[in-house]
Amino acid sequence: MRTRQFLKPRTVGRDVDQLVDALPKHNIGTQGYDPWGLNPDTAKITFTAVRWLYQNYFRVQAKGLEHIPGEGRLLIVGNHSGQLPMDGVMVSFAVANKSENARLPRSMIERWFPSVPFLGNWMNSVGGVIGDPKNCGKMLEREESIVVFPEGIRGSGKPYRLRYQLQRFGHGFMHLAMEHNAPIVPVGVVGCEETMPSLVNIKPLARMLGMPYFPLAPLVPLPARVFLNFGKPMHFANDARNERDVEWRVEEVKDAIRDLIDAGIAQRKSIF
């Protein structure tokens, strides 16, 4: 609390203050948090840094943001990469920074993140939520938009030689979309593979530290250009007869994401 009170007046400009205040927020309590830990003041401090990264460091180009509705339940589903959750941060900021119908998406985070000192609490304060189906379902019922990376650590922790090759998708997001009648907007993320390329996963060190992986990678993210391409909403009725039907629908989403990744790769003229 004291750190936030110290930093906010010294770091947050009027434009960021107004941007976050204008975003729809649900159920902020008297202590300044919503039921999942979002704190608008922490979001403002974070947005100040993220905006600089978005505009000046990664020089993000986002297309298709008109496919993100300004209200209503929504799953934003993309490819995962880059060791750190920079892809989720950039996708969320792009949606929150829209000129029209902006909103603040919530991001599903890996279960091990809250075990990291400071990092877990900070991610909750800026909108991250542990990737539990019950959490996600409750937020969809409250008409939230949620960023999901169904590859999980299979995507974020993969070595650079597998860049832009989609790994196995979990099916949970599709079950949620069908059960809660939530449209899916696919997004292809290009550039985050190059921000922290991993040469190898040091498994013994990962086990010792209780982490899912420990990459041999740059100590800080590299300034690769990032391209975000959002596709048209996809709708799936809750009429799957078995898990095979669900798998086919997951493959439809993967195909859409592949096409959007290919579009992003075609757009960039250089990695940096």
Side-chain angles (χ1 to χ4, degrees):
M1 176 70 75
R2 291 178 180 177
T3 302
R4 186 165 60 241
Q5 291 175 341
F6 175 82
L7 287 175
K8 184 187 172 188
R10 292 166 173 79
T11 59
V12 178
R14 184 179 178 184
D15 50 351
V16 172
D17 199 59
Q18 292 176 338
L19 185 155
V20 175
D21 284 343
L23 294 172
K25 293 176 283 294
H26 302 277
N27 305 297
I28 300 295
T30 56
Q31 299 299 314
Y33 295 86
D34 81 350
W36 290 278
L38 172 67
N39 178 267
D41 285 344
T42 304
K44 291 175 182 178
I45 296 168
T46 304
F47 268 38
T48 301
V50 170
R51 184 176 65 166
W52 183 86
L53 290 171
Y54 185 96
Q55 295 178 346
N56 301 294
Y57 195 74
F58 297 125
R59 294 147 293 164
V60 179
Q61 294 185 30
K63 294 187 175 182
L65 284 167
E66 67 275 9
H67 299 311
I68 305 290
E71 59 184 14
R73 61 192 65 178
L74 176 70
L75 291 172
I76 303 170
V77 180
N79 57 301
H80 209 8
S81 61
Q83 317 306 317
L84 292 176
M86 283 295 173
D87 43 14
V89 173
M90 295 298 109
V91 168
S92 294
F93 185 79
V95 176
N97 195 48
K98 288 173 60 180
S99 57
E100 296 181 359
N101 297 321
R103 61 193 303 184
L104 179 59
R106 314 304 294 268
S107 293
M108 296 287 99
I109 61 177
E110 300 294 338
R111 291 180 179 274
W112 65 275
F113 269 119
S115 66
V116 181
F118 174 74
L119 183 60
N121 288 338
W122 169 74
M123 293 189 76
N124 286 147
S125 296
V126 297
V129 180
I130 291 177
D132 179 87
K134 290 183 179 180
N135 277 335
C136 193
K138 288 179 180 179
M139 285 190 290
L140 289 174
E141 290 300 317
R142 296 192 185 207
E143 309 300 327
E144 297 273 9
S145 59
I146 304 171
V147 178
V148 182
F149 295 104
E151 293 170 284
I153 61 174
R154 295 181 294 275
S156 61
K158 68 178 180 287
Y160 187 63
R161 60 183 173 81
L162 297 179
R163 60 193 180 278
Y164 303 116
Q165 297 181 34
L166 293 183
Q167 305 303 296
R168 180 175 62 83
F169 271 35
H171 293 182
F173 79 96
M174 182 57 69
H175 283 285
L176 286 162
M178 294 188 300
E179 291 169 10
H180 296 276
N181 191 29
I184 292 172
V185 169
V187 57
V189 182
V190 170
C192 285
E193 298 275 16
E194 289 81 13
T195 59
M196 291 199 76
S198 171
L199 300 179
V200 67
N201 176 20
I202 308 175
K203 294 181 179 179
L205 189 54
R207 286 194 295 267
M208 185 176 69
L209 296 175
M211 300 172 64
Y213 54 84
F214 193 96
L216 179 61
L219 296 177
V220 296
L222 303 176
R225 292 179 179 270
V226 173
F227 295 80
L228 307 176
N229 282 280
F230 296 84
K232 295 180 179 179
M234 306 175 73
H235 301 267
F236 297 93
N238 191 18
D239 58 359
R241 294 166 296 179
N242 50 51
E243 200 61 24
R244 182 61 176 166
D245 286 349
V246 176
E247 184 177 353
W248 289 339
R249 298 177 186 198
V250 169
E251 288 301 319
E252 284 187 48
V253 177
K254 289 181 72 172
D255 286 343
I257 294 172
R258 286 192 186 97
D259 289 343
L260 294 166
I261 290 172
D262 290 343
I265 292 174
Q267 287 166 14
R268 67 176 180 180
K269 304 304 179 185
S270 64
I271 293 176
F272 296 102

